[in-house]
Amino acid sequence: SQQGEEDPQALSIQEGENATMNCSYKTSINNLQWYRQNSGRGLVHLILIRSNEREKHSGRLRVTLDTSKKSSSLLITASRAADTASYFCATELKTSYDKVIFGPGTSLSVIP
Amino acid sequence: SAVISQKPSRDICQRGTSLTIQCQVDSQVTMMFWYRQQPGQSLTLIATANQGSEATYESGFVIDKFPISRPNLTFSTLTVSNMSPEDSSIYLCSVRGRTEAFFGQGTRLTVV
């Protein structure tokens, strides 16, 4: 089962531009996490934001969480070609500790 | 953190046969999770494996097709039974850390 939606499904930008990806979910959560997956490779954990947090930063990443709208966004600033990957949001459900449900993902292409 | 060893890393199997995937964690964990990632798709949770009890399956997944064993707190197996080409996917086991989920390197299964 999947928790929600991500948009856009695919995003193509020029190097140096900012990339914004959005994630919506359906049920109450303990936290929301973002992961990156390069083509054919494993998942890399980027950032976790708890349900009582509204914004979090990590390097060039900025994540927001709006629990009233059940949505989150991931902003990558000053994108690089190496940021080309699929990005997934994943939610830990309030009713089921530890279980993490992934969204469908956004495929990001950063053109040099 | 947790280190997860998963094997086999890949296999090509004949339709109608079964494959058992092993997952070993370097620390004791209460719950282990099995995911499937179909080509070009996100991760879909198959089931949660608790030591000492039957696995809990997500909607769309049944025990007869994906039997799971969890004999102790560091090990689990997932069997993909009576395989068809539609079962061609990457199968991943996962455990939950404090701030992120940890994943095995995955088993790339091709059914011919």
Side-chain angles (χ1 to χ4, degrees):
Chain A
S1 61
Q2 288 190 332
Q3 172 66 301
E5 303 292 326
E6 284 175 70
D7 79 271
Q9 290 186 335
L11 179 62
S12 183
I13 59 174
Q14 296 289 327
E15 202 166 31
E17 293 180 339
N18 295 341
T20 299
M21 289 160 267
N22 302 297
C23 167
S24 64
Y25 56 92
K26 297 174 183 173
T27 59
S28 296
I29 63 172
N30 291 317
N31 61 65
L32 185 144
Q33 304 164 43
W34 285 90
Y35 290 82
R36 183 184 73 223
Q37 186 177 41
N38 292 83
S39 179
R41 298 188 172 234
L43 287 155
V44 175
H45 179 258
L46 296 176
I47 198 165
L48 177 148
I49 186 165
R50 302 189 190 282
S51 60
N52 61 353
E53 298 175 312
R54 292 297 166 258
E55 188 171 311
K56 212 161 179 182
H57 297 254
S58 176
R60 292 185 296 114
L61 306 179
R62 173 178 168 253
V63 169
T64 63
L65 178 64
D66 187 335
T67 52
S68 66
K69 296 181 179 177
K70 292 186 168 58
S71 67
S72 173
S73 68
L74 171 67
L75 168 68
I76 304 174
T77 60
S79 64
R80 306 165 181 169
D83 294 328
T84 295
S86 292
Y87 291 82
F88 300 98
C89 72
T91 51
E92 181 184 284
L93 306 183
K94 211 174 189 68
T95 56
S96 180
Y97 284 92
D98 287 7
K99 186 164 79 169
V100 174
I101 305 295
F102 281 75
T106 294
S107 176
L108 173 66
S109 296
V110 181
I111 303 165
Chain B
S1 66
V3 176
I4 302 175
S5 301
Q6 193 174 328
K7 56 182 180 181
S9 58
R10 59 178 62 226
D11 207 341
I12 301 173
C13 300
Q14 296 289 325
R15 67 179 68 200
T17 63
S18 298
L19 176 72
T20 295
I21 302 166
Q22 299 180 6
C23 180
Q24 178 77 51
V25 188
D26 68 343
S27 58
Q28 294 185 338
V29 292
T30 305
M31 287 185 278
M32 295 176 73
F33 304 92
W34 287 96
Y35 290 86
R36 179 177 73 183
Q37 187 174 27
Q38 294 175 302
Q41 304 294 314
S42 180
L43 278 71
T44 301
L45 182 64
I46 298 171
T48 301
N50 261 333
Q51 196 268 334
S53 63
E54 286 220 350
T56 304
Y57 289 82
E58 298 297 308
S59 175
F61 298 96
V62 295
I63 188 171
D64 289 346
K65 176 67 176 177
F66 297 101
I68 287 171
S69 79
R70 184 78 203 276
N72 57 52
L73 290 172
T74 63
F75 187 79
S76 178
T77 67
L78 170 76
T79 298
V80 186
S81 303
N82 188 25
M83 289 183 286
S84 67
E86 292 70 37
D87 294 320
S88 297
S89 290
I90 297 174
Y91 293 85
L92 302 107
C93 68
S94 174
V95 300
R96 184 76 170 86
R98 218 162 51 81
T99 58
E100 65 186 275
F102 297 96
F103 292 87
Q105 65 270 43
T107 296
R108 186 179 295 269
L109 170 62
T110 302
V111 184
V112 297

